[in-house]
Coordinates of all heavy atoms in Angstrom, one line a residue:
M1 N 3.6 20.0 1.5 CA 3.7 20.9 2.6 C 2.5 21.6 2.9 O 1.9 22.3 2.0 CB 4.9 21.8 2.5 CG 6.3 21.1 2.4 SD 6.6 20.3 4.0 CE 7.3 21.7 5.0
K2 N 2.1 21.9 4.2 CA 0.9 22.7 4.5 C 1.3 24.2 4.4 O 0.4 25.0 4.2 CB 0.4 22.3 5.9 CG -0.2 20.9 5.9 CD -0.9 20.6 7.2 CE -1.6 19.3 6.9 NZ -2.4 19.0 8.2
I3 N 2.5 24.5 4.8 CA 2.9 25.9 4.6 C 3.7 26.2 3.4 O 4.6 25.4 3.1 CB 3.7 26.2 5.9 CG1 2.9 26.0 7.2 CG2 4.2 27.7 5.9 CD1 1.8 26.9 7.5
K4 N 3.5 27.3 2.7 CA 4.1 27.6 1.4 C 4.8 28.9 1.5 O 4.3 29.8 2.4 CB 3.1 27.6 0.3 CG 2.7 26.3 -0.2 CD 1.9 26.5 -1.5 CE 1.1 25.2 -2.0 NZ 0.2 25.6 -3.0
T5 N 5.7 29.1 0.7 CA 6.3 30.5 0.6 C 5.3 31.5 0.4 O 4.4 31.2 -0.6 CB 7.5 30.3 -0.4 OG1 8.3 29.5 -0.2 CG2 8.2 31.8 -0.5
G6 N 5.2 32.7 1.1 CA 4.3 33.7 0.7 C 3.1 33.6 1.6 O 2.3 34.6 1.6
D7 N 2.9 32.4 2.4 CA 1.9 32.4 3.4 C 2.0 33.5 4.5 O 3.3 33.8 4.9 CB 1.8 31.0 4.0 CG 1.1 30.0 3.0 OD1 0.5 30.5 2.0 OD2 1.1 28.9 3.4
T8 N 1.0 33.8 5.2 CA 1.1 34.6 6.3 C 1.0 33.6 7.6 O -0.1 32.8 7.7 CB 0.1 35.7 6.5 OG1 0.3 36.6 5.3 CG2 0.3 36.5 7.8
V9 N 1.9 33.6 8.4 CA 1.8 32.7 9.5 C 1.9 33.3 10.9 O 2.5 34.5 10.9 CB 2.9 31.6 9.5 CG1 2.8 30.6 8.3 CG2 4.3 32.1 9.5
V10 N 1.6 32.6 11.9 CA 1.7 33.3 13.3 C 2.4 32.2 14.0 O 2.4 31.0 13.9 CB 0.3 33.7 13.9 CG1 -0.6 32.4 14.0 CG2 0.6 34.2 15.2
V11 N 3.4 32.8 14.8 CA 4.3 31.9 15.7 C 3.5 31.5 17.0 O 3.0 32.5 17.6 CB 5.7 32.6 16.0 CG1 6.6 31.7 16.8 CG2 6.3 33.0 14.8
I12 N 3.5 30.3 17.3 CA 2.7 29.8 18.4 C 3.5 29.4 19.7 O 2.9 29.2 20.7 CB 1.8 28.7 18.1 CG1 2.5 27.6 17.3 CG2 0.6 29.2 17.1 CD1 1.8 26.2 17.2
S13 N 4.8 29.3 19.5 CA 5.7 29.1 20.7 C 7.1 29.6 20.6 O 7.5 29.9 19.5 CB 5.7 27.5 21.0 OG 6.3 26.8 19.9
G14 N 7.7 29.6 21.6 CA 9.1 30.1 21.6 C 9.3 31.5 21.9 O 8.3 32.2 22.2
N15 N 10.4 32.0 21.7 CA 10.7 33.5 21.9 C 9.9 34.5 21.0 O 9.8 35.6 21.3 CB 12.3 33.8 21.7 CG 13.1 33.0 22.6 OD1 12.7 32.7 23.8 ND2 14.3 32.7 22.2
N16 N 9.5 34.0 19.9 CA 8.8 34.8 19.0 C 7.3 34.6 19.0 O 6.7 35.1 18.0 CB 9.4 34.6 17.5 CG 10.8 35.0 17.4 OD1 11.2 36.1 17.4 ND2 11.7 34.0 17.3
K17 N 6.8 34.0 19.9 CA 5.4 33.8 20.1 C 4.6 34.9 19.8 O 4.9 36.2 20.3 CB 5.0 33.3 21.5 CG 3.7 32.7 21.7 CD 3.6 31.9 23.0 CE 2.2 31.2 23.1 NZ 1.4 31.9 23.9
D18 N 3.5 34.8 19.0 CA 2.4 35.7 18.7 C 3.0 36.7 17.5 O 2.2 37.5 17.2 CB 2.0 36.5 19.9 CG 1.1 35.7 20.8 OD1 0.6 34.7 20.3 OD2 1.1 36.0 22.0
K19 N 4.0 36.5 17.0 CA 4.6 37.2 16.0 C 4.0 36.8 14.7 O 3.9 35.6 14.5 CB 6.2 37.2 15.9 CG 6.8 38.3 16.6 CD 8.3 38.4 16.1 CE 8.9 39.5 16.9 NZ 10.4 39.6 16.5
K20 N 3.7 37.7 13.7 CA 3.0 37.3 12.6 C 3.9 37.8 11.4 O 4.5 38.8 11.5 CB 1.6 38.1 12.4 CG 0.7 37.4 11.6 CD -0.8 38.0 11.8 CE -0.9 39.2 10.9 NZ -2.1 39.9 10.9
G21 N 4.0 37.0 10.4 CA 4.8 37.4 9.3 C 4.6 36.6 8.0 O 3.9 35.5 8.2
K22 N 5.2 36.9 6.9 CA 5.2 36.2 5.8 C 6.3 35.2 5.7 O 7.4 35.4 6.1 CB 5.4 37.3 4.7 CG 4.5 36.9 3.5 CD 4.9 37.9 2.5 CE 3.8 38.3 1.4 NZ 4.2 39.3 0.4
V23 N 5.9 33.8 5.1 CA 6.9 32.9 5.0 C 7.9 33.3 3.7 O 7.5 33.5 2.7 CB 6.2 31.6 4.7 CG1 7.3 30.5 4.4 CG2 5.5 31.2 6.0
L24 N 9.2 33.5 4.0 CA 10.1 33.8 3.1 C 10.7 32.6 2.4 O 10.9 32.6 1.2 CB 11.3 34.5 3.7 CG 10.9 35.9 4.3 CD1 12.2 36.5 5.0 CD2 10.4 36.9 3.4
S25 N 10.8 31.5 3.1 CA 11.2 30.3 2.4 C 10.8 29.0 3.4 O 10.7 29.2 4.5 CB 12.7 30.3 2.2 OG 13.6 30.4 3.3
V26 N 10.6 27.9 2.7 CA 10.4 26.7 3.4 C 11.6 25.7 3.2 O 12.0 25.6 2.1 CB 9.2 26.1 2.9 CG1 8.9 24.8 3.7 CG2 7.9 27.0 3.0
I27 N 12.0 25.0 4.2 CA 13.1 24.0 4.0 C 12.4 22.7 4.4 O 12.6 22.3 5.7 CB 14.3 24.4 5.0 CG1 14.7 25.9 4.8 CG2 15.5 23.6 4.6 CD1 15.4 26.5 6.0
P28 N 11.9 22.0 3.5 CA 11.2 20.8 3.8 C 12.1 19.7 4.3 O 11.7 18.9 5.3 CB 10.7 20.3 2.4 CG 10.8 21.4 1.4 CD 12.0 22.3 2.0
K29 N 13.3 19.6 3.9 CA 14.3 18.6 4.5 C 14.5 18.7 6.0 O 14.7 17.7 6.7 CB 15.7 18.7 3.8 CG 15.8 17.7 2.6 CD 17.3 17.6 2.4 CE 17.9 18.8 1.8 NZ 19.3 18.6 1.1
E30 N 14.4 19.9 6.5 CA 14.7 20.1 7.8 C 13.4 20.4 8.7 O 13.5 20.9 9.8 CB 15.7 21.4 8.0 CG 17.0 21.0 7.3 CD 18.0 22.2 7.5 OE1 17.7 23.1 8.3 OE2 18.9 22.2 6.7
N31 N 12.3 20.6 7.9 CA 11.1 20.8 8.6 C 11.1 22.2 9.2 O 10.6 22.4 10.3 CB 10.6 19.9 9.7 CG 9.8 18.7 9.1 OD1 9.0 19.0 8.2 ND2 10.1 17.5 9.6
R32 N 11.7 23.2 8.5 CA 11.9 24.5 8.9 C 11.4 25.6 7.9 O 11.3 25.3 6.7 CB 13.3 24.7 9.4 CG 13.8 23.8 10.6 CD 14.9 24.3 11.3 NE 16.2 24.4 10.7 CZ 17.3 24.9 11.1 NH1 17.3 25.3 12.4 NH2 18.5 24.8 10.5
V33 N 11.1 26.7 8.5 CA 10.6 27.8 7.7 C 11.4 29.1 8.1 O 11.7 29.3 9.3 CB 9.1 28.1 8.0 CG1 8.3 27.0 7.2 CG2 8.6 28.2 9.2
V34 N 11.4 29.9 7.2 CA 12.0 31.3 7.5 C 10.8 32.2 7.4 O 10.2 32.3 6.4 CB 13.1 31.7 6.5 CG1 13.7 33.0 6.8 CG2 14.2 30.7 6.6
V35 N 10.7 33.0 8.5 CA 9.6 34.0 8.5 C 10.0 35.4 8.7 O 10.8 35.6 9.4 CB 8.5 33.5 9.6 CG1 7.3 34.5 9.6 CG2 8.2 32.1 9.4
E36 N 9.5 36.3 7.8 CA 9.8 37.7 7.9 C 9.7 38.2 9.3 O 8.7 38.1 9.9 CB 8.7 38.4 7.1 CG 9.1 39.7 6.5 CD 8.0 40.2 5.7 OE1 6.8 40.1 6.0 OE2 8.3 41.0 4.7
N37 N 10.8 38.9 9.8 CA 11.0 39.5 11.0 C 10.8 38.6 12.2 O 10.6 39.1 13.4 CB 9.9 40.6 11.1 CG 10.2 41.8 10.1 OD1 11.4 42.1 10.1 ND2 9.3 42.4 9.6
V38 N 11.0 37.3 12.0 CA 10.9 36.4 13.1 C 12.2 35.7 13.3 O 12.9 35.3 12.2 CB 9.8 35.3 12.9 CG1 10.0 34.2 13.9 CG2 8.5 35.9 13.0
N39 N 12.7 35.5 14.5 CA 14.1 34.9 14.8 C 15.2 35.6 14.1 O 16.0 35.0 13.4 CB 14.0 33.5 14.4 CG 15.1 32.7 15.0 OD1 15.8 33.1 16.0 ND2 15.5 31.6 14.4
M40 N 15.3 37.0 14.3 CA 16.2 37.8 13.7 C 17.6 37.5 14.2 O 17.9 37.4 15.3 CB 16.0 39.2 13.8 CG 14.7 39.8 13.2 SD 14.6 39.4 11.4 CE 15.9 40.5 10.7
L41 N 18.6 37.3 13.3 CA 19.9 37.0 13.8 C 20.8 38.1 13.2 O 20.6 38.7 12.2 CB 20.5 35.6 13.0 CG 19.6 34.4 13.2 CD1 20.2 33.3 12.3 CD2 19.5 34.1 14.7
T42 N 21.8 38.5 14.1 CA 22.8 39.5 13.6 C 23.9 38.8 13.3 O 24.5 38.0 13.9 CB 23.0 40.4 14.8 OG1 21.6 40.8 15.3 CG2 23.7 41.6 14.4
K43 N 24.4 39.3 12.0 CA 25.6 38.6 11.3 C 26.6 39.6 11.1 O 26.3 40.8 10.6 CB 25.3 37.9 10.1 CG 25.9 36.6 9.8 CD 25.4 36.0 8.7 CE 26.3 35.8 7.6 NZ 25.7 35.2 6.5
H44 N 27.9 39.4 11.6 CA 28.9 40.4 11.4 C 29.7 39.9 10.1 O 30.2 38.8 10.0 CB 29.9 40.5 12.5 CG 29.2 41.0 13.7 ND1 29.2 42.3 14.1 CD2 28.5 40.4 14.7 CE1 28.6 42.5 15.1 NE2 28.1 41.3 15.6
E45 N 29.6 40.8 9.1 CA 30.3 40.4 7.9 C 31.5 41.2 7.7 O 31.7 42.4 8.0 CB 29.4 40.8 6.6 CG 28.1 40.1 6.7 CD 27.8 39.3 5.3 OE1 27.8 40.0 4.4 OE2 27.6 38.1 5.3
K46 N 32.5 40.4 7.3 CA 33.9 41.1 7.1 C 33.8 41.9 5.8 O 33.2 41.4 4.8 CB 34.9 40.0 7.0 CG 35.3 39.4 8.4 CD 36.4 38.4 8.2 CE 36.6 37.7 9.5 NZ 37.4 36.4 9.3
P47 N 34.7 42.9 5.7 CA 34.7 43.6 4.4 C 35.3 42.7 3.5 O 36.3 42.0 3.5 CB 35.6 44.8 4.7 CG 35.7 44.9 6.2 CD 35.4 43.5 6.8
Q48 N 34.6 42.7 2.1 CA 35.2 41.9 1.0 C 35.4 42.7 -0.2 O 34.5 42.7 -1.1 CB 34.1 40.8 0.7 CG 34.1 39.8 1.8 CD 32.9 38.8 1.7 OE1 32.1 39.1 0.9 NE2 33.0 37.8 2.4
G49 N 36.3 43.6 -0.1 CA 36.6 44.4 -1.2 C 35.8 45.7 -1.2 O 34.9 46.0 -0.3
P50 N 36.0 46.6 -2.1 CA 35.5 48.1 -2.0 C 33.9 48.1 -2.2 O 33.3 49.0 -1.7 CB 36.2 48.8 -3.2 CG 36.6 47.7 -4.1 CD 36.9 46.5 -3.3
N51 N 33.4 47.2 -2.8 CA 31.9 47.2 -3.0 C 31.2 46.4 -1.9 O 30.0 46.6 -1.9 CB 31.6 46.6 -4.4 CG 32.1 47.3 -5.4 OD1 32.2 48.5 -5.5 ND2 32.5 46.6 -6.6
K52 N 31.9 45.7 -1.1 CA 31.3 45.0 0.1 C 31.9 45.5 1.5 O 32.9 44.9 1.8 CB 31.4 43.6 -0.1 CG 30.4 43.1 -1.1 CD 30.2 41.5 -1.2 CE 29.2 41.0 -2.0 NZ 29.1 39.5 -2.0
P53 N 31.6 46.6 1.9 CA 32.2 47.1 3.0 C 32.0 46.2 4.4 O 32.7 46.5 5.4 CB 31.6 48.5 3.2 CG 30.4 48.4 2.5 CD 30.5 47.4 1.5
G54 N 31.2 45.3 4.4 CA 30.9 44.5 5.6 C 30.1 45.2 6.5 O 29.3 46.2 6.2
G55 N 30.1 44.8 7.8 CA 29.3 45.5 8.8 C 28.2 44.5 9.4 O 28.5 43.2 9.1
I56 N 27.2 45.0 10.0 CA 26.3 44.2 10.7 C 25.1 44.0 9.7 O 24.5 44.9 9.2 CB 25.8 44.8 12.0 CG1 27.1 44.8 13.0 CG2 24.7 44.0 12.7 CD1 26.8 45.6 14.2
V57 N 24.8 42.8 9.5 CA 23.6 42.3 8.7 C 22.7 41.6 9.5 O 23.0 40.6 10.3 CB 24.1 41.4 7.5 CG1 23.0 41.0 6.6 CG2 25.2 42.1 6.7
K58 N 21.4 42.0 9.3 CA 20.3 41.3 10.2 C 19.6 40.5 9.1 O 19.3 40.8 8.0 CB 19.4 42.3 10.7 CG 19.8 43.0 11.9 CD 18.8 43.6 12.7 CE 19.2 43.7 14.1 NZ 18.0 44.1 15.1
M59 N 19.4 39.2 9.5 CA 18.6 38.3 8.7 C 17.9 37.3 9.5 O 18.1 37.1 10.8 CB 19.6 37.5 7.7 CG 20.6 36.8 8.6 SD 21.7 35.8 7.5 CE 20.5 34.5 6.8
E60 N 16.7 36.8 8.9 CA 16.0 35.8 9.6 C 16.6 34.5 9.7 O 17.2 33.9 8.8 CB 14.7 35.7 8.9 CG 13.6 36.9 9.0 CD 14.0 38.1 8.0 OE1 14.9 37.9 7.2 OE2 13.1 39.0 7.9
G61 N 16.4 33.9 10.7 CA 16.9 32.5 11.0 C 15.8 31.5 10.9 O 14.6 31.9 11.2
P62 N 15.9 30.4 10.3 CA 14.9 29.4 10.3 C 14.4 29.0 11.6 O 15.1 28.9 12.5 CB 15.4 28.2 9.5 CG 16.9 28.4 9.6 CD 17.2 29.8 9.9
I63 N 13.1 28.7 11.6 CA 12.4 28.0 12.9 C 11.7 26.8 12.5 O 11.3 26.6 11.3 CB 11.6 29.1 13.6 CG1 10.4 29.5 12.7 CG2 12.3 30.2 14.3 CD1 9.3 30.3 13.5
N64 N 11.5 26.1 13.5 CA 10.7 24.7 13.2 C 9.3 24.9 12.8 O 8.6 25.8 13.3 CB 10.8 23.8 14.4 CG 10.4 22.4 14.1 OD1 9.3 22.0 13.8 ND2 11.5 21.5 14.1
I65 N 8.9 24.2 11.8 CA 7.5 24.5 11.1 C 6.5 24.2 12.2 O 5.4 24.7 12.1 CB 7.5 23.6 9.8 CG1 6.5 24.2 8.9 CG2 7.2 22.1 10.1 CD1 6.6 23.7 7.5
S66 N 6.7 23.4 13.1 CA 5.6 23.0 14.1 C 5.4 24.3 15.1 O 4.5 24.2 15.9 CB 6.1 21.8 15.0 OG 7.2 22.1 15.8
K67 N 6.3 25.2 15.0 CA 6.1 26.5 15.8 C 5.3 27.5 15.1 O 5.0 28.6 15.7 CB 7.5 27.1 16.2 CG 8.2 26.3 17.2 CD 9.5 26.9 17.6 CE 10.1 26.2 18.8 NZ 11.5 26.9 19.1
V68 N 4.7 27.3 13.9 CA 3.9 28.2 13.2 C 2.7 27.7 12.9 O 2.5 26.4 12.7 CB 4.7 28.8 11.9 CG1 6.0 29.4 12.3 CG2 5.0 27.9 10.9
M69 N 1.6 28.6 12.7 CA 0.4 28.1 12.1 C 0.1 29.1 11.0 O 0.4 30.2 11.1 CB -0.7 28.2 13.2 CG -0.8 27.0 14.3 SD -2.1 27.4 15.3 CE -3.2 25.9 14.8
Y70 N -0.8 28.5 10.2 CA -1.2 29.4 9.1 C -2.2 30.5 9.6 O -3.0 30.2 10.5 CB -2.0 28.5 8.1 CG -2.3 29.4 6.7 CD1 -1.5 29.4 5.8 CD2 -3.6 30.2 6.9 CE1 -2.0 30.1 4.6 CE2 -3.9 30.9 5.7 CZ -3.1 30.9 4.7 OH -3.5 31.6 3.5
F71 N -2.0 31.8 9.3 CA -2.8 32.8 9.7 C -4.0 32.9 8.8 O -3.8 33.5 7.7 CB -2.1 34.1 9.9 CG -2.9 35.2 10.6 CD1 -3.0 35.2 12.0 CD2 -3.6 36.1 9.8 CE1 -3.8 36.3 12.5 CE2 -4.4 37.1 10.4 CZ -4.5 37.1 11.7
C72 N -5.2 32.7 9.2 CA -6.4 32.8 8.3 C -6.9 34.2 8.6 O -7.2 34.7 9.7 CB -7.3 31.8 8.7 SG -9.0 32.0 7.7
E73 N -7.0 34.9 7.4 CA -7.5 36.3 7.5 C -9.0 36.5 8.0 O -9.4 37.3 8.7 CB -7.5 37.1 6.0 CG -6.0 37.0 5.5 CD -5.3 38.2 6.1 OE1 -5.8 39.2 6.6 OE2 -4.0 38.3 5.9
K74 N -9.7 35.4 7.6 CA -11.1 35.3 7.8 C -11.4 35.1 9.4 O -12.2 35.7 10.1 CB -11.8 34.3 7.0 CG -13.3 34.7 6.7 CD -13.9 33.6 5.8 CE -15.4 33.7 5.9 NZ -16.0 32.5 5.2
C75 N -10.6 34.1 9.9 CA -10.8 33.8 11.2 C -10.0 34.9 12.1 O -10.2 34.9 13.4 CB -10.2 32.4 11.6 SG -11.1 31.0 10.7
N76 N -9.0 35.5 11.6 CA -8.3 36.5 12.3 C -7.4 35.7 13.3 O -7.1 36.4 14.3 CB -9.2 37.7 12.7 CG -8.2 38.9 13.2 OD1 -7.1 39.2 12.4 ND2 -8.5 39.6 14.1
K77 N -7.1 34.5 13.0 CA -6.0 33.9 14.0 C -5.4 32.7 13.2 O -5.7 32.4 12.2 CB -6.8 33.5 15.3 CG -8.0 32.5 15.0 CD -8.4 32.1 16.3 CE -9.8 31.6 16.4 NZ -10.2 31.2 17.7
G78 N -4.5 32.1 14.0 CA -3.7 30.9 13.4 C -4.8 29.9 13.5 O -5.4 29.5 14.4
T79 N -4.7 29.0 12.4 CA -5.7 27.9 12.2 C -4.9 26.7 11.7 O -3.8 26.8 11.1 CB -6.9 28.2 11.3 OG1 -6.4 28.5 10.0 CG2 -7.7 29.3 11.9
R80 N -5.6 25.6 11.7 CA -5.0 24.5 11.0 C -5.4 24.4 9.5 O -6.4 25.0 9.1 CB -5.6 23.2 11.7 CG -5.0 22.9 13.0 CD -5.6 21.6 13.6 NE -5.1 21.6 14.9 CZ -3.9 21.0 15.3 NH1 -3.1 20.6 14.4 NH2 -3.6 21.0 16.6
V81 N -4.5 23.8 8.8 CA -4.8 23.7 7.4 C -5.2 22.3 6.9 O -4.6 21.4 7.4 CB -3.5 24.1 6.5 CG1 -3.7 23.9 5.0 CG2 -3.0 25.5 6.8
G82 N -6.4 22.2 6.2 CA -6.8 21.0 5.7 C -6.7 20.9 4.3 O -6.3 22.0 3.6
F83 N -7.1 19.8 3.6 CA -7.0 19.8 2.3 C -8.4 19.3 1.7 O -9.2 18.5 2.4 CB -6.1 18.7 1.8 CG -4.6 19.2 1.9 CD1 -4.0 18.7 3.1 CD2 -4.0 20.0 1.1 CE1 -2.6 19.1 3.2 CE2 -2.7 20.5 1.3 CZ -2.0 20.0 2.4
K84 N -8.8 19.7 0.5 CA -9.9 19.2 -0.1 C -9.7 19.1 -1.5 O -8.8 19.7 -2.2 CB -11.2 19.9 0.1 CG -11.3 21.4 -0.5 CD -12.6 21.9 -0.5 CE -12.6 23.3 -1.1 NZ -13.9 24.0 -1.1
V85 N -10.4 18.0 -2.3 CA -10.2 17.9 -3.6 C -11.2 18.5 -4.4 O -12.4 18.4 -4.2 CB -10.1 16.4 -4.0 CG1 -9.9 16.2 -5.4 CG2 -8.9 15.8 -3.2
E86 N -10.8 19.4 -5.3 CA -11.8 20.2 -6.1 C -11.4 20.1 -7.6 O -10.3 20.4 -8.1 CB -11.7 21.7 -5.7 CG -13.1 22.4 -6.0 CD -13.2 23.8 -5.2 OE1 -12.4 24.7 -5.7 OE2 -14.0 23.8 -4.4
N87 N -12.3 19.7 -8.4 CA -12.1 19.3 -9.9 C -10.7 18.6 -10.0 O -9.8 18.9 -10.9 CB -11.9 20.7 -10.5 CG -13.2 21.4 -10.5 OD1 -14.2 21.0 -10.5 ND2 -13.1 22.8 -10.4
G88 N -10.5 17.6 -9.2 CA -9.3 16.7 -9.4 C -8.0 17.3 -8.7 O -7.0 16.6 -8.8
S89 N -8.1 18.4 -8.3 CA -6.8 19.0 -7.7 C -7.1 19.3 -6.3 O -8.0 19.7 -5.9 CB -6.2 20.2 -8.5 OG -7.3 21.2 -8.4
K90 N -5.9 19.1 -5.5 CA -6.0 19.3 -4.1 C -5.8 20.8 -3.7 O -4.8 21.6 -4.3 CB -4.9 18.5 -3.5 CG -5.0 17.8 -2.3 CD -3.9 16.9 -2.0 CE -3.7 16.5 -0.7 NZ -2.5 15.6 -0.5
V91 N -6.7 21.4 -2.9 CA -6.6 22.7 -2.6 C -6.6 22.8 -1.1 O -7.1 21.9 -0.3 CB -7.8 23.7 -3.0 CG1 -7.6 23.7 -4.5 CG2 -9.1 23.0 -2.6
R92 N -5.8 23.8 -0.5 CA -5.8 23.9 1.0 C -6.9 24.8 1.4 O -7.4 25.8 0.8 CB -4.5 24.7 1.3 CG -3.2 23.8 0.9 CD -1.9 24.5 1.2 NE -1.9 26.0 0.8 CZ -1.1 26.8 1.4 NH1 -0.3 26.5 2.4 NH2 -1.1 28.0 0.8
V93 N -7.4 24.4 2.6 CA -8.5 25.1 3.2 C -8.2 25.4 4.6 O -7.5 24.6 5.3 CB -9.9 24.3 3.0 CG1 -10.4 24.3 1.5 CG2 -9.9 22.9 3.5
C94 N -8.9 26.3 5.2 CA -8.8 26.6 6.6 C -9.8 25.6 7.3 O -10.9 25.4 6.9 CB -9.3 28.0 6.9 SG -9.6 28.4 8.6
K95 N -9.3 24.8 8.3 CA -10.1 23.9 8.9 C -11.2 24.4 9.8 O -12.3 23.8 10.0 CB -9.2 22.9 9.9 CG -8.7 21.8 9.0 CD -8.2 20.6 10.0 CE -7.7 19.4 9.2 NZ -7.1 18.5 10.0
K96 N -11.0 25.6 10.2 CA -12.0 26.3 10.9 C -13.2 26.9 10.2 O -14.3 26.5 10.4 CB -11.4 27.4 11.8 CG -11.8 27.4 13.2 CD -11.1 28.3 14.1 CE -11.2 28.0 15.4 NZ -10.1 27.3 15.9
C97 N -12.9 27.7 9.2 CA -14.1 28.4 8.5 C -14.2 27.8 7.1 O -15.1 28.2 6.5 CB -13.7 29.9 8.4 SG -12.4 30.3 7.4
G98 N -13.3 26.9 6.6 CA -13.4 26.3 5.4 C -13.0 27.1 4.1 O -13.2 26.7 3.1
V99 N -12.5 28.3 4.3 CA -12.2 29.3 3.3 C -11.0 28.6 2.5 O -10.0 27.9 3.1 CB -11.8 30.6 3.7 CG1 -10.5 30.7 4.4 CG2 -11.9 31.6 2.5
E100 N -10.9 28.7 1.2 CA -9.9 28.2 0.4 C -8.7 29.1 0.5 O -8.7 30.3 0.4 CB -10.4 28.1 -1.1 CG -9.8 27.1 -1.9 CD -10.3 27.1 -3.3 OE1 -11.5 26.7 -3.4 OE2 -9.7 27.4 -4.2
L101 N -7.5 28.5 0.7 CA -6.3 29.2 1.0 C -5.5 29.3 -0.3 O -5.5 28.3 -1.0 CB -5.6 28.6 2.0 CG -6.1 28.3 3.4 CD1 -5.2 27.6 4.2 CD2 -6.6 29.6 4.1
K102 N -5.0 30.5 -0.8 CA -4.3 30.6 -2.0 C -2.8 30.2 -1.9 O -2.3 30.4 -0.8 CB -4.3 32.1 -2.4 CG -5.6 32.6 -2.6 CD -6.4 32.0 -3.8 CE -7.8 32.3 -3.9 NZ -8.5 31.3 -4.5
Ligands
ZN201 ZN1 -10.5 30.6 8.6

């Protein structure tokens, strides 16, 4: 996967266009990602005993991975991710500026 948990991405299409956030999780099977503060869903939870009073819970909904781009700090915008092999291991790089992505 080009996008990993913890990456900063920018949304490039849809209702959340231009929103930037951290990837909270990646769902490779569905080609979807969950991004911090993007695609917020409101969920009404029923009370489940004295310790869980219920109420309105806000949480991020997954969005298609094709709607996000890796946000390169150096380029200060969304860029494509490439790969290069260094010392026998594959590392991710920004296709624009070539900086190695952690
Ligand atoms: Zn870059």
Side-chain angles (χ1 to χ4, degrees):
M1 294 298 278
K2 289 188 173 181
I3 303 288
K4 282 186 187 172
T5 304
D7 282 352
T8 301
V9 294
V10 59
V11 182
I12 51 166
S13 70
N15 294 337
N16 296 282
K17 193 167 183 251
D18 295 331
K19 266 198 186 176
K20 208 170 96 180
K22 217 184 205 183
V23 176
L24 300 176
S25 64
V26 181
I27 313 160
K29 260 203 291 195
E30 299 175 16
N31 270 321
R32 297 205 286 180
V33 288
V34 179
V35 184
E36 197 176 41
N37 292 321
V38 170
N39 195 23
M40 294 306 291
L41 306 174
T42 310
K43 221 169 113 183
H44 295 265
E45 296 230 309
K46 281 183 192 162
Q48 291 169 348
N51 297 325
K52 287 189 170 180
I56 295 171
V57 179
K58 282 200 160 192
M59 58 177 292
E60 287 88 353
I63 58 169
N64 199 282
I65 204 160
S66 64
K67 285 188 177 172
V68 302
M69 274 184 117
Y70 187 90
F71 184 85
C72 176
E73 299 282 343
K74 207 175 163 192
C75 298
N76 199 34
K77 59 173 161 183
T79 60
R80 286 179 188 279
V81 174
F83 292 99
K84 71 171 182 183
V85 177
E86 206 170 65
N87 301 326
S89 61
K90 222 166 163 189
V91 294
R92 297 186 303 162
V93 295
C94 167
K95 271 199 176 168
K96 220 171 203 103
C97 68
V99 76
E100 207 173 293
L101 310 175
K102 298 292 167 216

